[in-house]
Amino acid sequence: MRTPSGPFDRGHTEDLMTFLAASPTPYHAVASAAERLEKAGFRQVEETEAWDGTTGGKYVLRGGAIVAWYVPEGVAAHTPFRIVGAHTDSPNLRVKPRPDAGGHGWRQVAVEIYGGPLLNSWLDRDLGLAGRLSLRDGTTRLVNIDRPLLRVPQLAIHMDRSVHTDGLKLDKQRHMQPVWGLGDDVHEGDLIRFLEDESGLGEGDVTGWDLMTYSVEPPAFLGRDRELVAGPRMDNLLSVHAATAALAAAASAETLPYIPVLAAFDHEENGSQSDTGADGPLLGSVLERSVFARGGTYEDRARAFAGTVCLSSDTGHAVHPNYAERHDPTHHPRANGGPILKVNVNNRYATDGAGRSVFAAACEKAGVPFQSFVSNNAMPCGTTIGPITAARHGIKTVDIGVAILSMHSVRELCGADDPYLLANALVAFLEG
Ligand code: ZN
């Protein structure tokens, strides 16, 4: 275990495990982040209200997205922002509009595939069900059935003898529908009535829903010396959690040359194009309103944006011992080797040389080592919210993150030191 020079240590990783377990959906994730920010003195502001120029910590919630910022004493209208960006969504199985299905004596829930999950990892897991219920009275509420409720049963090997020679072939429509009990008398509305009962609501109260399945197995330390963490949704709640902790810590700094910001978006896993995604106007609108609420002009807004830097934090790939040849031969990020700087010259990542210097300075100040990630030329490179943020708002952006294994599995794996090493680097960045 490393000796950290920033405010965070292994306790941060333990808190991450609590955060992951409490955040089965983007809606729960932003609630978990807001709860931590409230404890640090931040207060929610409504997008529908007029904003004022007061100092202190503030945040906006919109669906599965949160933007939070801290206005220090004596700040100018043109003071630039320092932003940590991340995303709250993870690939999973989501409930269809008419979910009540089944046959042959089994009750099933019809699901749609969200993003690009490793489908095999969802088989034979005990799944809970969580999300957001929209009620007849116009309000919404969170729901979380945190117990084994559903399962996508794998076909027995006796009926699929070629699975090891031809590979496991999963049809997204036919083979991924979970069972959730027994019975032949399946009726439309059964699942929603079950959720109304579980939530203490009356029949017909729920008129809309955004529901998704998740593995109920809690995160756990793993390895000979417990040097690893296994758990769900590290991509990318690991970054959301680290950024939330870093913003709360930065808010207690004595002086801040920048306005520190957390921006955690929904819908990264399917392209970010939504009112809560990184390709929407949410972040730009919040930053502009913050400038104007402090009496700034469009000139101040332009000056602030021109001096702003965003660290876009998302998970990347640690070198896989069984598939090392899939990585670039000279770039092998290791678990517990510190955060990664992600580079792709074709702008799948927004990092350039100047951005590298900004991140290197933050890591040096925090006493945190960092590693570089670049794809093998023969492999397509993933992407994230970094290039979108840079292009949409004209903001200098650097893509960074933490190297994990099993990205997009229902249960991912990371080093137990990396979450707090990332958080320490983020605080150093936000504090300037
Ligand atoms: Zn991600």
Side-chain angles (χ1 to χ4, degrees):
M1 192 164 136
R2 290 172 187 279
T3 311
S5 55
F8 300 113
D9 55 18
R10 264 298 169 97
H12 173 88
T13 303
E14 285 165 17
D15 189 60
L16 165 65
M17 293 158 79
T18 305
F19 187 94
L20 292 172
S23 308
T25 77
Y27 317 114
H28 290 81
V30 298
S32 300
E35 187 188 317
R36 281 163 172 75
L37 291 170
E38 286 276 345
K39 279 189 191 141
F42 284 65
R43 294 293 172 258
Q44 185 174 1
V45 292
E46 298 291 342
E47 288 187 271
T48 49
E49 305 280 319
W51 291 9
D52 62 35
T54 51
T55 57
K58 303 157 194 255
Y59 66 93
V60 163
L61 287 182
R62 189 197 281 201
I66 182 169
V67 181
W69 66 104
Y70 181 80
V71 183
E73 292 288 345
V75 75
H78 61 265
T79 298
F81 301 92
R82 283 243 158 161
I83 305 165
V84 179
H87 69 88
T88 59
D89 60 320
S90 303
N92 58 17
L93 312 179
R94 299 196 173 187
V95 173
K96 282 187 170 177
R98 298 182 67 197
D100 302 292
H104 313 283
W106 293 97
R107 283 181 190 281
Q108 288 175 282
V109 173
V111 293
E112 218 177 345
I113 313 294
Y114 178 82
L118 281 170
L119 292 177
N120 60 298
S121 73
W122 284 80
L123 303 176
D124 298 342
R125 299 276 178 173
D126 298 341
L127 304 177
L129 187 67
R132 180 176 65 173
L133 300 175
S134 298
L135 308 187
R136 186 176 294 283
D137 64 8
T139 61
T140 58
R141 71 161 69 181
L142 299 180
V143 61
N144 183 7
I145 311 299
D146 189 13
R147 66 172 173 89
L149 180 70
L150 312 102
R151 171 178 170 129
V152 186
Q154 188 169 355
L155 184 61
I157 193 160
H158 314 77
M159 298 183 195
D160 194 11
R161 288 285 183 195
S162 62
V163 66
H164 294 310
T165 49
D166 299 350
L168 177 64
K169 294 197 174 72
L170 293 170
D171 181 286
K172 285 182 182 175
Q173 177 61 30
R174 286 187 296 148
H175 300 149
M176 296 308 295
Q177 307 304 319
V179 300
W180 75 300
L182 297 171
D184 284 309
D185 54 338
V186 172
H187 301 289
E188 183 158 358
D190 282 350
L191 179 69
I192 297 306
R193 266 196 293 283
F194 167 78
L195 293 173
E196 286 169 341
D197 277 351
E198 291 277 327
S199 307
L201 294 164
E203 190 175 329
D205 283 348
V206 173
T207 50
W209 56 88
D210 303 279
L211 297 166
M212 52 203 83
T213 61
Y214 68 97
S215 165
V216 297
E217 188 182 2
F221 285 110
L222 185 144
R224 193 190 70 168
D225 299 318
R226 295 181 169 76
E227 66 269 57
L228 298 163
V229 176
R233 300 177 293 283
M234 289 174 182
D235 177 8
N236 185 23
L237 295 187
L238 189 158
S239 298
V240 174
H241 173 258
T244 304
L247 176 61
S252 65
E254 276 181 14
T255 56
L256 286 168
Y258 304 102
I259 296 175
V261 181
L262 155 71
F265 302 101
D266 201 351
H267 301 132
E268 188 273 346
E269 298 293 354
N270 56 16
S272 297
Q273 289 189 315
S274 75
D275 67 327
T276 51
D279 208 5
L282 179 61
L283 175 61
S285 153
V286 167
L287 298 185
E288 285 180 347
R289 289 184 70 177
S290 158
V291 171
F292 298 147
R294 283 178 282 115
T297 60
Y298 190 82
E299 182 72 0
D300 293 311
R301 176 250 183 241
R303 291 175 69 190
F305 275 47
T308 291
V309 182
C310 173
L311 285 189
S312 155
S313 182
D314 200 349
T315 50
H317 304 295
V319 62
H320 194 306
N322 300 344
Y323 300 87
E325 75 286 355
R326 310 269 174 118
H327 297 257
D328 181 78
T330 60
H331 296 82
H332 281 177
R334 292 175 176 233
N336 287 344
I340 52 171
L341 178 82
K342 298 152 89 172
V343 175
N344 179 269
V345 290
N346 292 306
N347 269 3
R348 302 287 287 170
Y349 298 129
T351 309
D352 65 4
R356 184 188 195 278
S357 290
V358 172
F359 187 57
C363 288
E364 190 179 326
K365 185 178 161 205
V368 167
F370 76 92
Q371 320 178 72
S372 290
F373 173 85
V374 70
S375 278
N376 181 315
N377 286 333
M379 293 280 156
C381 181
T383 189
T384 179
I385 62 161
I388 295 168
T389 305
R392 171 135 195 119
H393 307 292
I395 285 173
K396 175 84 201 151
T397 303
V398 191
D399 276 298
I400 61 145
V402 160
I404 68 170
L405 288 188
S406 311
M407 189 186 290
H408 289 195
S409 167
V410 77
R411 198 163 174 83
E412 297 166 327
L413 186 69
C414 76
D417 294 339
D418 286 328
Y420 70 78
L421 293 174
L422 172 68
N424 284 332
L426 296 182
V427 180
F429 167 74
L430 290 175
E431 290 182 351

